[in-house]
Amino acid sequence: MKKILTIEPLGFPWKTQDPFLFCAYHRDEYPAGNAKMGVDFELLKERAIGQDFMLKDGWRMYHGNTIPGFPYHPHRGFETITINKEGVVDHSDSLGAAGRFMAGDVQWMTAGKGVQHSEMFPLINEDKPNPLEIFQIWLNLPSVSKMVAPHFKMLWNEDIPVVHHKDEDGKLTIIDVIAGTLADTTSLASTPDSWASNPNNAVAVLTVKMEANASWTLPKTVEGANRSIFFYKGTSINIAAETIGANHLIETVANEDIAIENGDTDAYFLILEGKPIGEPVAKHGPFVMNTHEEIREAMKDYGKTQFGGWPWNETEVVHPREKGRFALHSNGHEETK
């Protein structure tokens, strides 16, 4: 059986398969921050502030004006999974919830019937650079769950299961199991209304680091699932007698083991897999529904309610510099790390 279905270069955003909608990888080498955890004015010249996706000097402002990131914006009908590998992300939303998460942490948010949130990247270091590396993944919701109540949870670095695999030569592969099951290791629970909450849907989100010259086999999952391997950093790998360079998407069959042999530098992957929802998808900006009529209804509802409004004083909300990792939920419960 042919194990590789397609190989293609990574674009921006990354191409995904049902049940996933979208994946953006952000790597930014931010400079030292100013007193307000933003970028000095002199460094903002020649940028399209408010719409800066140009990788000038190794970093972007995105939609931020003085602090990089994504000021408040609405969502409906799907989920966001934000994986932080390096740097700081500050969350605030229209339910009054907030949080700060750092390297190794993951935020899982169900937008459901509608929420506004902001995701800002405060430059908390004034005396050294502030590198950032995150993935943001959009996971679709089935029609029965598109109008559930919004919800978010944190998967803290210390709690996320990690698999350490050594091959016959003692070379190490490290897999963070963010969603799903890998061999005998099962992830933390997803949000309750997620497509991933039912194990029968075989949703998995894995981040993988392979040492130079390591070998590792991605175990098969259920027949009918979609599987995408994003090889975003390294030199080359070998799968099924194919040599593949970095910055490529490899779509493979799901019900076969996939043996990966790494080249002579460390290799990094994001792996997304799961059974497709298989329903019509209607998308318009931050709204993902099943029909265009539902999109029009989402726009009308947002115009009327602003999905609860914006309870914060700023559009680019960041938390105090000295504040550590935390999650403040809409019911007032606060987790700290």
Side-chain angles (χ1 to χ4, degrees):
M1 176 182 288
K2 184 178 180 181
K3 293 191 175 184
I4 296 178
L5 301 176
T6 64
I7 302 171
E8 57 186 273
L10 292 176
F12 185 86
W14 292 350
K15 173 188 170 186
T16 56
Q17 301 182 83
D18 188 0
F20 299 95
L21 297 161
F22 169 98
C23 180
Y25 171 66
H26 303 289
R27 176 74 202 187
D28 291 280
E29 306 294 340
Y30 289 117
N34 60 24
K36 295 184 178 180
M37 295 179 285
V39 179
D40 284 333
F41 176 76
E42 288 297 317
L43 297 178
L44 297 179
K45 293 179 178 179
E46 300 179 12
R47 290 183 178 272
I49 295 302
Q51 189 70 30
D52 174 31
F53 285 75
M54 178 176 62
L55 194 60
K56 181 178 182 292
D57 301 324
W59 51 274
R60 294 153 286 209
M61 287 295 290
Y62 301 106
H63 296 311
N65 290 292
T66 59
I67 298 168
F70 298 89
Y72 78 115
H73 55 280
H75 290 305
R76 173 181 276 188
F78 65 99
E79 302 188 284
T80 62
I81 305 170
T82 306
I83 303 170
N84 189 336
K85 289 298 186 182
E86 188 174 12
V88 180
V89 179
D90 277 3
H91 164 87
S92 306
D93 68 37
S94 56
L95 304 177
R100 169 170 287 171
F101 56 105
M102 299 185 185
D105 299 328
V106 176
Q107 186 203 58
W108 196 311
M109 186 186 79
T110 303
K113 65 182 180 181
V115 67
Q116 292 193 74
H117 75 150
S118 71
E119 299 161 294
M120 304 306 299
F121 312 140
L123 308 184
I124 64 173
N125 298 321
E126 291 185 90
D127 57 350
K128 61 181 180 180
N130 290 273
L132 176 85
E133 184 173 51
I134 66 170
F135 304 92
Q136 186 171 89
I137 301 158
W138 289 13
L139 174 62
N140 202 7
L141 286 167
S143 57
V144 69
S145 301
K146 283 194 175 292
M147 296 296 285
V148 297
H151 179 87
F152 96 93
K153 70 181 299 182
M154 290 303 308
L155 310 181
W156 298 112
N157 177 37
E158 298 88 343
D159 304 326
I160 293 172
V162 180
V163 175
H164 294 80
H165 173 269
K166 283 191 174 181
D167 63 20
E168 294 178 351
D169 297 320
K171 299 294 184 180
L172 183 64
T173 297
I174 301 173
I175 309 102
D176 291 354
V177 184
I178 294 162
T181 297
L182 181 70
D184 297 325
T185 300
T186 298
S187 70
L188 301 171
S190 69
T191 49
D193 295 298
S194 177
W195 183 248
S197 65
N198 184 344
N200 292 330
N201 295 329
V203 173
V205 178
L206 312 171
T207 61
V208 182
K209 177 186 177 182
M210 297 182 72
E211 284 187 340
N213 303 307
S215 298
W216 171 66
T217 297
L218 173 62
K220 64 184 177 182
T221 185
V222 299
E223 188 170 5
N226 288 323
R227 170 176 276 176
S228 300
I229 302 172
F230 302 90
F231 177 26
Y232 67 94
K233 190 187 304 183
T235 303
S236 65
I237 55 173
N238 188 282
I239 299 177
E242 292 273 359
T243 299
I244 304 163
N247 294 306
H248 279 86
L249 162 64
I250 308 107
E251 295 178 353
T252 73
V253 296
N255 60 335
E256 292 282 337
D257 292 344
I258 304 297
I260 304 174
E261 298 176 357
N262 188 23
D264 57 7
T265 61
D266 290 351
Y268 295 81
F269 310 91
L270 171 70
I271 299 174
L272 302 179
E273 57 187 32
K275 292 178 74 172
I277 294 172
E279 295 178 350
V281 174
K283 293 190 289 186
H284 183 81
F287 307 134
V288 182
M289 303 301 288
N290 295 107
T291 68
H292 292 294
E293 177 58 34
E294 289 171 336
I295 292 290
R296 288 190 288 272
E297 190 65 29
M299 296 171 69
K300 186 185 301 182
D301 288 349
Y302 179 62
K304 289 180 179 177
T305 70
Q306 298 293 293
F307 294 161
W310 190 245
W312 307 92
N313 292 329
E314 301 86 20
T315 59
E316 301 183 10
V317 183
V318 293
H319 309 305
R321 186 188 304 273
E322 64 277 7
K323 185 82 172 174
R325 299 151 63 213
F326 78 100
L328 174 64
H329 297 275
S330 58
N331 63 4
H333 172 66
E334 182 169 350
E335 307 170 56
T336 58
K337 288 289 180 177

